[in-house]
Amino acid sequence: MTIAVNNPMKLKPVLRLKGFGLSSPSSSPPASPATAPRPVPPKPPTPAVAEPIAAKAVEGKAAIIAKRVAAYEAGKLEMKRRALEMQVTLAERFPACFKPPGQPRLPLKVGIDLDVLSIAPDLSETDLKQAIRSYVAAPEYYLVAIEGAVRVDLDGEPAGMVTPDQARWAQIKVGKRPTQGVEQSN
């Protein structure tokens, strides 16, 4: 039986790093997992310290949300103010079509915002669209949007009619239930 003393597998150099649980060949073998020192986990903050920190974080988020809500509400109020100003301007420039707040309204031509912008390019498009949107969203407007009602253009001339679907939508918006197509039983 022959024993190979110069086995090339046994002569490969081994790199051992210090400080990583590995030691040099001349030092003692690494400690077993049972005897190796374990790292100490950090202590959780005590409740007396953690609660104020959490409370400050919640207060900070609540303050940010409150500021955003306040800014949103202020923006809405500003948009309403500008829309009312634009409605007054429209009533002054186009009295045959737009009526001032408090007066009966007429059904407007579909796409009347484009007509206004073509005649009065000095008006803000954003303010104009918001003004018309709030103008036609008023309950007074929905009350006159009945089936067959004549829509008017900027000069007060006929420019279409209110369709049955538009009239039903107006009734829904006012809160009345459409009666067309519903049979009543006695």
Side-chain angles (χ1 to χ4, degrees):
M1 211 178 226
T2 315
I3 298 177
V5 177
N6 292 334
N7 187 349
M9 296 299 284
K10 290 187 178 182
L11 297 177
K12 284 188 176 181
V14 177
L15 178 63
R16 299 196 185 254
L17 301 174
K18 293 183 181 180
F20 293 101
L22 301 175
S23 58
S24 64
S26 62
S27 66
S28 62
S32 68
T35 61
R38 294 185 185 168
V40 179
K43 294 182 181 178
T46 61
V49 174
E51 288 175 6
I53 294 172
K56 286 181 183 178
V58 169
E59 288 173 7
K61 287 181 183 178
I64 291 171
I65 291 170
K67 285 180 185 178
R68 288 181 181 167
V69 168
Y72 173 77
E73 292 298 325
K76 276 181 32 179
L77 291 175
E78 177 63 16
M79 282 178 53
K80 284 182 182 180
R81 184 192 63 75
R82 289 169 54 180
L84 285 174
E85 285 179 5
M86 181 61 72
Q87 285 179 10
V88 170
T89 302
L90 290 172
E92 291 170 355
R93 289 194 184 183
F94 309 103
C97 179
F98 292 98
K99 303 300 178 190
Q103 289 189 5
R105 299 178 183 205
L106 300 172
L108 301 177
K109 171 187 170 188
V110 175
I112 200 158
D113 58 328
L114 301 175
D115 294 347
V116 173
L117 285 174
S118 67
I119 293 174
D122 59 315
L123 299 177
S124 164
E125 182 178 356
T126 305
D127 290 348
L128 174 68
K129 289 187 179 218
Q130 184 64 33
I132 292 175
R133 190 177 299 125
S134 65
Y135 187 88
V136 300
E140 302 88 34
Y141 185 84
Y142 287 128
L143 291 174
V144 297
I146 56 176
E147 184 178 347
V150 177
R151 294 182 175 277
V152 295
D153 65 4
L154 295 176
D155 299 322
E157 299 296 321
M161 313 252 318
V162 176
T163 66
D165 287 340
Q166 293 166 343
R168 276 194 296 277
W169 178 252
Q171 288 178 343
I172 290 169
K173 294 300 277 185
V174 169
K176 295 180 180 177
R177 186 170 179 201
T179 56
Q180 184 179 4
V182 177
E183 294 185 24
Q184 295 179 350
S185 61
N186 289 330

